Amino acid sequence: MAGMHGTPRDEGIVERLQDLVLKTPDMAELLHELVTLSAAALSVHSRLLCGVTMVRKKKPATVATSHPRVKAMDELQYAYGDGPCLTALRDLDTVYIPTLHEETRWPHYCATAWDEGIRSILSVPLPLEGEASAALNLYAAQTHAFSDESIRRAEVHAGQASKALRLAVRLAQLAEDRDNLAAALESRTIIDLATGIIMAQNNCNQDTAIKVLRSASNTRNRKLRDVAALLVASVGKDPSVITHFD
């Protein structure tokens, strides 16, 4: 079902999400917009509460909700170690519970959720890439809240929204890689400067200077970059200072 074409309304939501991805690198803002739009778009016959669960490094976490109650329902699943959302994530298939009072797969979770006023749940996977996975969770205060047509719409909606989410995850990863590379280059530059200072002060070659720097790092139990930065800073403040490492 998820492969079917969406309605113009679905495609409009996708365009809004994709525009947001391109305008801001803030993943939290995108996810909040996703759950807000999803709750509004899919609440046809009854008001739905919406949340997104994302799994990274094998650990599930609720990353956005349209209502505070959603986070409590999600975290209850994590505590029990299973439930409709975690099953949808694991099997990459839609999970629908028409009435929690009659569900036998997760009796403890369903009983607790029922006591909290939740009557039916729909969890739809959001296809991502790599090790990350996500699911759209919809909670209703009525039993049998989702018809075949509303389930289909939710699946189409999730399939469309996942395109924007995949783009956001990819851009976030690229930004993280860029920041890591910039930090690595900065560290390398500081270490090279410190090595050059030691070579000039001690009239030694590069290998000896690096050994001196590493020895200082080990003795002081500080990162090599931090020790190098201290040396560069001290010389920068007063070029006449002669700094030796014992």
Side-chain angles (χ1 to χ4, degrees):
M1 291 184 184
M4 298 176 65
H5 293 295
T7 65
R9 186 179 184 183
D10 292 322
E11 293 169 357
I13 290 172
V14 173
E15 289 178 0
R16 287 177 64 179
L17 290 174
Q18 289 178 338
D19 287 343
L20 186 60
V21 171
L22 297 176
K23 288 178 181 177
T24 174
D26 189 345
M27 189 71 161
E29 184 178 348
L30 172 71
L31 290 167
H32 177 72
E33 188 75 5
L34 171 59
V35 295
T36 301
L37 291 173
S38 298
L42 300 175
S43 293
V44 179
H45 301 295
S46 59
R47 178 172 176 264
L48 301 176
L49 306 182
C50 179
V52 170
T53 292
M54 187 173 291
V55 177
R56 300 192 72 176
K57 298 180 180 179
K58 300 183 179 180
K59 186 176 181 180
T62 301
V63 292
T65 69
S66 66
H67 192 280
R69 291 178 65 194
V70 173
K71 188 173 180 65
M73 291 299 96
D74 286 351
E75 290 183 345
L76 189 61
Q77 286 192 62
Y78 311 153
Y80 282 122
D82 204 359
C85 168
L86 297 180
T87 300
L89 282 165
R90 182 177 61 247
D91 298 342
L92 295 179
D93 197 12
T94 298
V95 174
Y96 174 41
I97 306 177
T99 172
L100 271 70
H101 194 59
E102 299 175 0
E103 179 59 56
T104 59
R105 284 174 290 181
W106 312 285
H108 297 299
Y109 169 76
C110 290
T112 305
W114 181 275
D115 290 341
E116 293 295 325
I118 302 300
R119 298 293 181 258
S120 55
I121 297 175
L122 180 67
S123 292
V124 185
L126 291 164
L128 298 180
E129 297 174 343
E131 296 182 358
S133 58
L136 185 69
N137 306 313
L138 300 166
Y139 298 90
Q142 298 81 29
T143 61
H144 302 278
F146 301 90
S147 64
D148 289 343
E149 173 62 19
S150 60
I151 293 173
R152 186 198 71 81
R153 287 201 71 245
E155 290 177 332
V156 170
H157 175 85
Q160 296 287 347
S162 68
K163 295 178 182 179
L165 192 54
R166 284 199 301 270
L167 177 59
V169 170
R170 192 176 304 169
L171 290 176
Q173 184 61 57
L174 288 173
E176 183 179 341
D177 292 344
R178 180 201 62 204
D179 292 343
N180 290 340
L181 177 59
L185 290 174
E186 182 182 355
S187 294
R188 186 68 260 171
T189 300
I190 290 292
I191 292 170
D192 286 344
L193 285 171
T195 301
I197 291 170
I198 295 172
M199 290 172 65
Q201 291 177 344
N202 297 274
N203 193 27
C204 62
N205 60 30
Q206 185 178 24
D207 288 341
T208 300
I210 291 175
K211 288 178 181 178
V212 171
L213 195 59
R214 290 190 184 280
S215 176
S217 172
N218 293 333
T219 300
R220 301 182 183 191
N221 195 27
R222 300 191 64 171
K223 292 181 179 179
L224 188 66
R225 183 200 179 282
D226 293 341
V227 173
L230 286 172
L231 174 59
V232 172
S234 68
V235 173
K237 291 177 182 176
D238 187 355
S240 66
V241 174
I242 303 299
T243 305
H244 295 282
F245 288 116
D246 297 327

